[in-house]
Amino acid sequence: MILVLVFFSLLISLPPVDDFLDSRMVGKAFFQNFFLIASGMLMAHKTEIFPFKDNPERASGLIIFSFIFLFWSIPRSIDLSEIHWWIDQLNHLSMFAGGFILLRSLKGLPTVAKGVYGILFSSMLTATAMVYRWKKVILCSTYTLEDQHLYGKVLLIFGIALYTSVILWIIFGWSRR
Amino acid sequence: MNLKWFLPLPLLLLSFSFLWWFTLGFSAFTVFSYTLKKAGTPPYPVPSIKLICHNGKVVSLHNFEKRDIYVNFIYLSCYYGCPISLTKMFYLIKNSNGGDIFISVSVDPERDTIPKLKERWHLLGGFNHWLFCKPLEKNWKPKFLKMGVWVYRRKDGLINHTLEIFRIRNKKVVEVIPVTATTEVSGS
């Protein structure tokens, strides 16, 4: 399982798959990033690497993950990672590590904190998506306006879905008590 | 104090500081606005850029002292941003006092030949004080960057570049005029 995860993460981080995904903004900033985050989370779930006792990341882990995600959502960061190969690799690595840290942090947090973070994160995601979807000027010089709007649309759908899921999770969590 | 509670605060501070530094104080989120900010706050000096124009004459942005020069950046096969920028140039020409010089600089000097620039100049009214030029030097990009102009050529040939219009006087950029409703970004 771990080997499969590493293999797929490497596969989408290296050419020609990386080049293919990078050719569209939605491929680079959405599919690739979320795949790497999910791989990192799965890796954290499946392995006992760095078995920190009692998951000491907690809030620190959430801050690190939020910072990583926020940084790679900035148009200039997306441009830089498209222009420079090494920055692109840094993006892949940090997203994978971010996913790894996120799951470990979530495991160590109380339910209320998880719910609050879920709402905050999905709000951030939706707000970012709105900017990319409705801004009528190009934000990333390496992509076209159509690319940008498509990315915004996909991210918006994902953000709203995540938002709804978090709210439902909170409601059902309460009702089960 | 328990490290578990102490660590988030410096981490938050570090993340915030890094983002502050990266976006020049949360004011430059795109390469366009970053390049513009990095060039300086007007008035800032203009590098000596030599241009060859549609009429075959060689000019420099340092040439026209005591006159206002309005400079925008275009390329002839551009379909999205350049028409907006050119429309703004028209507006500025209409409102100028007659003594100002207007220069549209091509960011695609390989494909935009002098006859093509002349054709476009003619098509857009053939104004005497509106020049259609392209950089004469081969290594023109660093000078454009120094002026605050970002140019990126995609693999498909599309060029995304700064759309703002630069008002130059006495070898200095004295004003950066936005062409869109917002000043945040540009593109083509």
Side-chain angles (χ1 to χ4, degrees), chain A residues 106-166:
Chain A
L106 287 175
K107 274 181 179 175
L109 283 172
T111 316
V112 180
K114 278 182 204 170
V116 170
Y117 183 74
I119 288 176
L120 286 176
F121 182 73
S122 44
S123 304
M124 185 182 86
L125 211 65
T126 313
T128 311
M130 282 173 170
V131 173
Y132 280 108
R133 175 65 189 92
W134 282 296
K135 200 90 175 161
K136 287 192 172 77
V137 280
I138 291 173
L139 297 170
C140 294
S141 74
T142 46
Y143 292 101
T144 62
L145 195 65
E146 291 79 18
D147 254 347
Q148 181 182 307
H149 286 169
L150 178 70
Y151 166 63
K153 206 186 277 180
V154 173
L155 196 66
L156 191 64
I157 294 166
F158 184 79
I160 291 168
L162 191 71
Y163 206 84
T164 317
S165 313
V166 171

Side-chain angles (χ1 to χ4, degrees), chain B residues 169-185:
Chain B
R169 178 178 266 187
N170 293 333
K171 302 174 188 175
K172 280 182 178 167
V173 171
V174 290
E175 191 186 359
V176 178
I177 306 163
V179 294
T180 50
T182 58
T183 53
E184 170 56 29
V185 286

Side-chain angles (χ1 to χ4, degrees), chain B residues 83-154:
Chain B
I84 306 169
S85 183
L86 289 169
T87 308
K88 184 79 178 187
M89 280 293 256
F90 262 122
Y91 172 81
L92 292 169
I93 287 169
K94 281 263 181 192
N95 290 291
S96 78
N97 55 19
D100 302 332
I101 300 287
F102 295 84
I103 304 176
S104 291
V105 181
S106 169
V107 290
D108 191 6
E110 291 84 20
R111 283 190 291 185
D112 294 347
T113 58
I114 295 296
K116 280 184 184 173
L117 286 170
K118 192 171 184 176
E119 194 186 319
R120 185 59 61 93
W121 167 77
H122 189 71
L123 204 73
L124 291 174
F127 294 97
N128 282 332
H129 54 313
W130 190 359
L131 305 171
F132 279 71
C133 311
K134 64 176 188 171
L136 196 62
E137 297 154 54
K138 278 203 165 173
N139 195 20
W140 49 272
K141 267 192 182 175
K143 286 188 175 179
F144 277 34
L145 270 178
K146 218 173 165 185
M147 192 175 158
V149 180
W150 174 265
V151 180
Y152 180 80
R153 183 193 285 270
R154 282 164 44 93

